[in-house]
Amino acid sequence: MLFLYNTSLWLYALLLRLVAPFVPKAAQWTNGRHGLLQQIEHALRHENGPRAWFHCASLGEFEQGRPLLEAFRQQHPQYKIVLTFFSPSGYEIRKSWPGADYIFYLPLDTASSARAFLDAVQPELTVFVKYEFWYHFLTELHRRRVATICVSAIFRPEQAFFKPWGGLFRQILGRFTHIFTQNEASAELLRQIGVTQVSTAGDTRFDTVVAMAAAPPKPLPLLAAFVADGAPVLVVGSSWPEDITMLTPAIRALAPAALRVLVAPHELHESGFQQVEALLPGQVVRYSRATAETVGTARVLLIDSIGLLRELYRYGTLGYVGGAFGKGLHNTLEAAVFGLPLLFGPNYQKFQEARDLVQLGGADAVKDAEELETALKFLVYNPEQRLPIVAKNRTYVLTHAGATARIMAALP
């Protein structure tokens, strides 16, 4: 099994190198790792003092681990923090984040790279956020007796760890000093396969969004002008083309005066912008080109800038979270903390908070464009039905906060 694991990683890296000339993300992945171990060794060569290594797969995991990173920095200022990412979507956006002392890509998980990386970093504590179970890194950390923690982890019975052939993956879990799960069901699954260094702490993302909602809002005059007429505002967060296709009939079916729409695509591509403009001709203004006058008359404000989504939800009346008509739902908590009644597609079962919100009546999962239109019309034309949902969603988020404090109190 280890041979297959090593071979699959080698083939993965080879494939990315082959497609790099044609796929920008693959190029970032490969270029970012060119001479990486030498860069890390050089950067840390003369650094003194204890070090803590935090690893996040991508941007979502970074936001999940961010409250823990910030709490650790505050309580242990003597530590230098090394932050790594596997994906370009995390590294390229957060490579200048001031909360860490050093930020790198994670080298590919080979035995030699793991040894060289740890020789350079020499962490006294390592924290993996949610996912990323790398055999050689975790084995080498275990061999060196470095305290290695996994936080905000969530597990499902269909994962490889719980299959008869999943022995190697179960070994990987055994390398952690401790695993903090999001829920008790995940902790019980681990105990059933003999992984006992586990406890339930909750999901640190709740702490992230609670702090975000409590922070002073950023001055965004264009958004203020867009919502100035008082019409309900639908915030479409992290949308993909299939989400826009599903939403378009519902938006068309509502009178322009009845609903205004903020669209924040998950990926900022010209083709995606043009799709929105083509489906809703004459109704769309791009944020980068907008003025106070043009947003005042627009039906749809298309966000073609990075980093605004969290602030958008402050301006919303309703929320649609993208991804669940494709591979999987994006972050619902950023909208729920503001109390927005939520809509999303059918592929949400892997996300505990989405299941909870549906069960509470704070969110509605729709299977197609017709159901989406019906649900959206109901929420728009029945404002009195929105009020109890607002309270439910806010209360849900607030009562699930606190994972960061529980983890910090238990760190070795």
Side-chain angles (χ1 to χ4, degrees), residues 6 23 28 148 173 257 278 281 296:
N6 290 333
V23 181
Q28 289 176 328
T148 305
L173 295 179

Side-chain angles (χ1 to χ4, degrees), residues 17-207:
R17 287 196 294 271
L18 291 174
V19 303
F22 316 102
V23 181
K25 277 191 175 180
Q28 289 176 328
W29 194 96
T30 54
N31 294 338
R33 285 168 171 79
H34 182 71
L36 176 60
L37 287 168
Q38 291 82 0
Q39 294 172 30
I40 295 171
E41 193 278 331
H42 179 77
L44 294 170
R45 182 181 303 165
H46 302 296
E47 185 62 75
N48 297 318
R51 303 170 194 170
W53 169 31
F54 287 76
H55 176 68
C56 307
S58 190
L59 185 60
E61 287 76 20
F62 168 80
E63 295 299 339
Q64 194 155 32
R66 182 172 181 165
L68 189 63
L69 271 157
E70 292 172 341
F72 187 86
R73 167 73 87 192
Q74 184 175 15
Q75 294 187 28
H76 302 284
Q78 73 277 20
Y79 275 78
K80 297 296 183 181
I81 293 178
V82 177
L83 173 63
T84 58
F85 290 95
F86 182 79
S87 166
S89 62
Y91 176 81
E92 296 299 332
I93 293 175
R94 294 302 182 193
K95 60 186 176 183
S96 300
W97 185 60
D101 299 287
Y102 301 94
I103 302 176
F104 305 111
Y105 275 108
L106 182 73
L108 194 66
D109 184 38
T110 66
S112 60
S113 291
R115 288 192 298 269
F117 177 85
L118 292 173
D119 284 344
V121 176
Q122 297 183 20
E124 294 188 9
L125 171 71
T126 296
V127 178
F128 282 63
V129 180
K130 190 177 181 179
Y131 294 132
E132 298 284 89
F133 304 107
W134 297 116
Y135 177 85
H136 294 293
F137 280 107
L138 288 167
T139 298
E140 190 64 19
L141 286 163
H142 183 73
R143 187 186 70 79
R144 298 181 186 216
R145 299 182 179 180
V146 177
T148 305
I149 312 300
C150 184
V151 301
S152 292
I154 191 162
F155 295 92
R156 301 178 302 279
E158 62 268 22
Q159 290 174 308
F161 311 106
F162 312 106
K163 301 297 185 182
W165 45 266
L168 178 71
F169 301 99
R170 290 190 286 274
Q171 286 181 37
I172 293 174
L173 295 179
R175 303 294 192 254
F176 284 104
T177 307
H178 200 85
I179 300 173
F180 293 97
T181 62
Q182 292 185 27
N183 55 34
E184 186 58 29
S186 293
E188 185 55 32
L189 277 172
L190 294 178
R191 295 185 188 110
Q192 290 173 6
I193 59 170
V195 179
T196 57
Q197 73 284 14
V198 57
S199 57
T200 301
D203 187 345
T204 52
R205 285 182 304 160
F206 287 92
D207 301 323

Side-chain angles (χ1 to χ4, degrees), residues 17 142 246 330 350 401 408:
R17 287 196 294 271
H142 183 73
M246 291 291 175
H330 291 292
K350 292 181 179 180
M408 287 298 300

